[in-house]
Amino acid sequence: MHVLVLGAGYSGMAIARALAGKAASVTGTTRSAEKAAKLEKAGIRPIVFDGDTVSDELAAALRQTTHLIQSIAPGRDGDPMFRAGSQDLATLAPALQWIGYLSTVGVYGDHGGAWVTEDMLSKPVSARSVERVEAEEAWLAFGASHAIPVAVLRLSGIYGPGRNAFCNLANGTARRLIKPGQVFNRIRVEDIGAATSYLSQRLQGGIFNITDNEPAPPQDIVAEAARLMGVEPPPEMPFETAELSPMARSFYGENKRVSNARMRETGFEFAYPDYRVSLAQMWQTDSWRGQ
């Protein structure tokens, strides 16, 4: 197994780490030399990739890649690997056996707090979610035309060491915004890595929600983290009067409960099925600060 992670950022690094002990080689791309050094320190071969130009070094890595994970977000021009003028991926990567595409539960749009599954039609609201749907379709079509299984991993709100409610409380940015009926799903970054590793080793394609078991109001997570830390949580703040960026406000415009039943039915077990288990583990192991 020769793994290439396009966009080895927070989630991509977790995936690379999960596959490192199982693969003959793990390569990850990043945009900067500084981040490349971080990948190398983690035992991942780094390649600088700006998202547009496939260098000779990246082309050589693609030629031997058997398992490809795409974590780079699409833009207005579509997915970096399928934009006009891009080199043919099948030619670049002739040894491909499996593809994992990291998407988002944002493709479902707003469902008024109802449960959603992978079989429900996408109805994205934001432009970035529309772009994700188009990218999903491009990767699934590529897989179908080349008989390569493609797993689309729709991720909910990502958190983990270095990015969590403890950090927000510690640096004074935590807020408890109250919007009645609003819930969000979350996913621990290590579970993203484990789920990707699991699907890749089985060469399993399809669409999977990678998310926790318990959609919950965002203020509950802050309150639980504060309880574990032994500090006072920030005061509750009505959503209507809160100062938020347009992007942050748009997140609150989508309310749904995302089911992970399909992923669990494959036999996969989430290590952090709800925020209470996850926060307790991070606090007890003092891993919440990250590296």
Side-chain angles (χ1 to χ4, degrees):
M1 182 190 299
H2 293 279
V3 176
L4 174 61
V5 181
L6 295 173
Y10 191 59
S11 298
M13 279 278 286
I15 292 168
R17 288 193 183 102
L19 286 166
K22 306 172 180 69
S25 67
V26 179
T27 302
T29 73
T30 184
R31 287 181 172 271
S32 72
E34 180 183 353
K35 292 180 180 177
K38 185 178 179 181
L39 290 179
E40 195 162 23
K41 186 178 179 181
I44 301 161
R45 178 193 170 203
I47 295 177
V48 176
F49 176 44
D50 62 6
D52 291 316
T53 304
V54 176
S55 65
D56 291 344
E57 185 180 16
L58 180 54
L62 280 163
R63 279 195 295 274
Q64 72 167 3
T65 296
T66 59
H67 293 65
L68 177 69
I69 294 95
Q70 168 60 304
S71 182
I72 301 174
R76 293 180 181 178
D77 297 327
D79 188 278
M81 304 308 291
F82 297 118
R83 289 173 186 163
S86 296
Q87 295 174 258
D88 178 58
L89 181 59
T91 302
L92 282 171
L96 276 181
Q97 298 175 16
W98 181 86
I99 296 166
Y101 179 71
L102 303 192
S103 187
T104 168
V105 298
V107 300
Y108 295 115
D110 179 42
H111 287 265
W115 283 96
V116 297
T117 69
E118 294 88 345
D119 294 325
M120 300 181 74
L121 293 175
S122 299
K123 54 173 188 176
V125 175
S126 67
R128 62 184 179 277
S129 292
V130 171
E131 292 165 357
R132 285 288 186 183
V133 172
E134 292 171 351
E136 284 186 5
E137 292 172 348
W139 281 103
L140 290 168
F142 174 84
S145 62
H146 294 85
I148 299 170
V150 175
V152 172
L153 291 78
R154 290 176 174 166
L155 311 179
S156 55
I158 303 166
Y159 74 104
R163 298 187 185 185
N164 53 71
F166 298 123
C167 295
N168 297 339
L169 285 163
N171 64 29
T173 61
R175 292 195 287 181
R176 284 198 295 163
L177 300 183
I178 307 300
K179 185 180 181 185
Q182 179 75 52
V183 295
F184 291 110
N185 283 81
R186 294 152 196 84
I187 186 65
R188 180 79 174 255
V189 71
E190 293 95 332
D191 272 337
I192 296 174
T196 307
S197 175
Y198 181 84
L199 293 171
S200 68
Q201 291 180 82
R202 294 161 60 96
L203 299 180
Q204 186 155 352
I207 299 174
F208 301 92
N209 293 330
I210 308 301
T211 184
D212 62 359
N213 296 346
E214 185 178 346
Q219 65 269 21
D220 290 5
I221 286 77
V222 177
E224 176 64 5
R227 184 189 71 80
L228 289 166
M229 292 181 83
V231 301
E232 283 294 316
E236 294 186 348
M237 180 186 304
F239 169 78
E240 291 75 12
T241 58
E243 292 186 8
L244 296 171
S245 68
M247 179 173 287
R249 191 166 289 277
S250 73
F251 286 131
Y252 278 81
E254 299 179 12
N255 190 16
K256 53 187 169 285
R257 289 172 166 82
V258 183
S259 169
N260 65 9
R262 176 177 292 177
M263 190 64 197
R264 287 187 286 111
E265 286 167 1
T266 68
F268 179 77
E269 294 185 9
F270 289 86
Y272 306 101
D274 62 64
Y275 70 89
R276 284 177 295 273
V277 168
S278 183
L279 291 177
Q281 186 273 343
M282 274 195 285
W283 185 251
Q284 290 164 6
T285 59
D286 198 32
S287 62
W288 61 272
R289 294 181 178 88
Q291 297 178 347

